[in-house]
Every structure is written in C-alpha cells, then in structure tokens.
C-alpha cells in the first residue's frame, strides 16, 4: 500500500483512540447510572411529572451515546485485527486502497470514499 503510515504508527493511533473511547464509555456509564440512581430516589410518574419526560429523554440520550461509543470501540478492535492481518486500509467492498486522509479522519474505516458514497445513494 502506498502512502500508508507505518503499522506501528497506525497501531498507536488506533490504541489512543481506543483508550479515549474507553474513557468516554466509562463517563457515559457513570452518567447513565447517576440518572437511574436519581430516579430511584423519587417516585417518578413520567406521565404526570413535568420533569419525567425530560428525565426519560436524558436517559435515552445517554443510552444512545453509550451504544454508539461501544460500537465505535468494536470498530476500532476490528481495525486492529485488520491491521495485524495486513488488510487495514483496503476497502472491503472494492479492494481499493482507502486514502490515508480518510483513515486519518476515520481510522476504523472499512470502505473507500467511492464505496461509501455508492452505498448512501
């Protein structure tokens, strides 16, 4: 692959992003638990409590962010596997090289820009 950073540098970048994602997951998990714990202290009737709907929204929002962070962690782990197998930076759809700029912006990318665009049409 031309213009690809060295594997050690890529692995270091993926590991750094993985560590940041784990930190985010920990923070979101604490936030979610705080919301649950706060609601356990009061008898909340979402239907009649004016704060109930905002609490439910906040809980759902944090839950969604947590799900996204966990998925991102899975994608980073898959990228590390691809790196170790020599498949990192190769589009899973067409087999072309994924540009270094795309991998810099989205290090867990599995598709080149052309294939991502084609899939969205």
């Amino acid at each position: 692959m031309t213009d690809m950073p060295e594997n050690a540098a890529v692995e270091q970048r993926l590991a750094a992003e993985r560590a940041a994602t784990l930190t985010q997951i920990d923070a979101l998990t604490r936030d979610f638990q705080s919301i649950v714990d706060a609601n356990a202290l009061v008898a909340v009737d979402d239907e009649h409590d004016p704060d109930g709907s905002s609490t439910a929204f906040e809980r759902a929002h944090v839950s969604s962010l947590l799900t996204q962070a966990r998925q991102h962690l899975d994608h980073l782990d898959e990228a590390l596997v691809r790196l170790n197998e020599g498949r990192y930076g190769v589009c899973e759809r067409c087999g072309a090289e994924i540009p270094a700029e795309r991998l810099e912006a989205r290090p867990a990318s599995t598709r080149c820009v052309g294939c991502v665009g084609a899939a969205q049409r």
Side-chain angles (χ1 to χ4, degrees):
M1 282 182 249
T2 58
D3 297 329
M4 286 297 301
E6 300 225 4
N7 281 1
V10 173
E11 187 171 7
Q12 185 177 31
R13 186 168 191 304
L14 289 169
E17 186 154 343
R18 189 178 191 285
T21 302
L22 283 170
T23 299
Q24 180 185 25
I25 288 170
D26 287 343
L28 288 167
T29 300
R30 284 191 306 274
D31 289 349
F32 185 82
Q33 192 58 50
S34 294
I35 295 166
V36 170
D37 291 346
N39 285 332
L41 298 175
V42 292
V44 176
D45 178 1
D46 285 357
E47 187 176 330
H48 297 100
D49 182 2
D51 291 331
S53 60
S54 62
T55 301
F57 172 79
E58 185 178 4
R59 185 175 53 237
H61 179 71
V62 172
S63 177
S64 176
L65 292 173
L66 190 52
T67 297
Q68 290 174 10
R70 287 177 177 149
Q71 288 173 343
H72 185 60
L73 183 64
D74 289 344
H75 293 166
L76 291 169
D77 288 343
E78 292 165 4
L80 284 165
V81 168
R82 288 192 307 277
L83 180 66
N84 290 327
E85 293 177 348
R87 298 182 295 117
Y88 183 80
V90 177
C91 179
E92 68 179 8
R93 185 166 184 235
C94 72
E97 183 178 326
I98 299 173
E101 297 82 10
R102 176 162 173 75
L103 292 171
E104 182 67 29
R106 299 182 59 95
S109 295
T110 59
R111 292 187 178 181
C112 66
V113 175
C115 287
V116 169
Q120 292 177 348
R121 289 184 209 134

